[in-house]
Amino acid sequence: MHTVILHPDPAGIARAASLLAAGEAVALPTETVYGLAADARNGAAVARIYAAKGRPAFNPLIVHVADVAAAQAIAVLEGDALALAAAFWPGPLTLVLPLRPGSGIAGIVTAGLDTVGVRVPAHPVAQAVLAAFGGPLAAPSANASGRISPTTAAHVLDPEGGLAGRIAAVIDGGACPVGVESTILGWRDGRAALLRPGGIPAEAIEAALGAALVRGGDLDAPDAPGQLSSHYAPRAPLRLNAARAEPGETFIGFGPAGAGGLTLSASGDLTEAAARLFNLLRAADRLGRPIAVARVPETGLGRAINDRLRRAAAPREG
């Protein structure tokens, strides 16, 4: 793939919006760092983010929206969360909120959770792309997994740890003014909790709330992904690397669907499998039977799929 460099002018913004509508991934500047954006309602598009980054696990992604109204369309935003949105949006604050039923957000974005991280970026280029695209964009940092977050378009395209040749385009909007990721807040027993320090100081948030944030050791079950081995577990027991279903099991295949009709990808495509994973696990869980999942290759996105499945199959904690 040839990665196109777009200018932050009307033609470049329109081209970026067109690529995003076609299900491609596009890097764009925000005030924090460059993000790798894809349509948050399109699971296959979001799977391309993971493929491009080489991300080893399906972590929940932050959804970027144009304004508070757009946030309320996908998440339940009220009380202290609404007050913080009024105080700090647009800006480098992400709020982890209950996912609104019927939001249309792809399951791969939330990693199967019932919450979603949302923020309204302040960068004029990000705002222009959101306006032209007309929908929510999932956008983690635009770098290979484990590498330094990019604050310029050149960083995004860096031969060492960059994404040149892996994504459709990058909009060169200059250097990011904040240069560190957004502050992430969740809620614990009705109290705002600091899940990740970032571009807005915790002290400023506490001043706006008139209350201290829950921090550090008080976070016994953090929203940050990968903290618990069974963090992603469905209610039903899960058996991995299954050749077929045993009596009483629901089978999720990889390849042509069996008698139950559930398959991650009939053609054995790992990008399609990643996009369908969370929705299929939920569908199987609703049937109320133990779940057996076919072997998925441990290559490319298969590593992330298998990481998720191993966590789902882990013994329950507590």
Side-chain angles (χ1 to χ4, degrees), residues 50-184:
Y50 286 96
K53 287 174 64 69
R55 197 159 180 155
F58 290 126
N59 297 334
L61 303 179
I62 295 171
V63 177
H64 294 67
V65 295
D67 51 33
V68 170
Q72 289 174 320
I74 65 171
V76 179
L77 182 62
E78 57 191 14
D80 283 345
L82 186 59
L84 289 172
F88 297 109
W89 281 356
L93 176 66
T94 294
L95 301 176
V96 179
L97 304 166
L99 187 66
R100 188 175 293 281
S103 67
I105 298 299
I108 191 173
V109 173
T110 64
L113 301 176
D114 293 324
T115 55
V116 60
V118 186
R119 91 173 183 97
V120 177
H123 199 286
V125 174
Q127 278 289 331
V129 172
L130 285 163
F133 176 66
L137 294 172
S141 58
N143 56 285
S145 184
R147 307 306 290 264
I148 298 171
S149 295
T151 56
T152 68
H155 293 163
V156 176
L157 300 174
D158 190 333
E160 297 293 329
L163 302 179
R166 301 189 194 181
I167 61 176
V170 57
I171 306 174
D172 188 349
C176 300
V178 175
V180 295
E181 286 86 350
S182 63
T183 303
I184 301 180

Side-chain angles (χ1 to χ4, degrees), residues 31-44:
E31 69 276 23
T32 58
V33 299
Y34 272 69
L36 182 57
D39 184 352
R41 302 160 300 190
N42 182 337

Side-chain angles (χ1 to χ4, degrees), residues 253-257 263-273 276 297:
F254 180 74
T263 181
L264 291 166
S265 172
S267 64
D269 180 85
L270 288 169
T271 300
E272 181 183 23
R276 291 171 55 81

Side-chain angles (χ1 to χ4, degrees), residues 225-276:
Q227 299 285 327
L228 303 176
S229 62
S230 63
H231 182 73
Y232 299 114
R235 292 185 299 273
L238 196 69
R239 184 167 65 90
L240 306 182
N241 300 317
R244 62 186 65 83
E246 300 293 340
E249 287 183 327
T250 297
F251 185 66
I252 299 176
F254 180 74
L262 298 180
T263 181
L264 291 166
S265 172
S267 64
D269 180 85
L270 288 169
T271 300
E272 181 183 23
R276 291 171 55 81

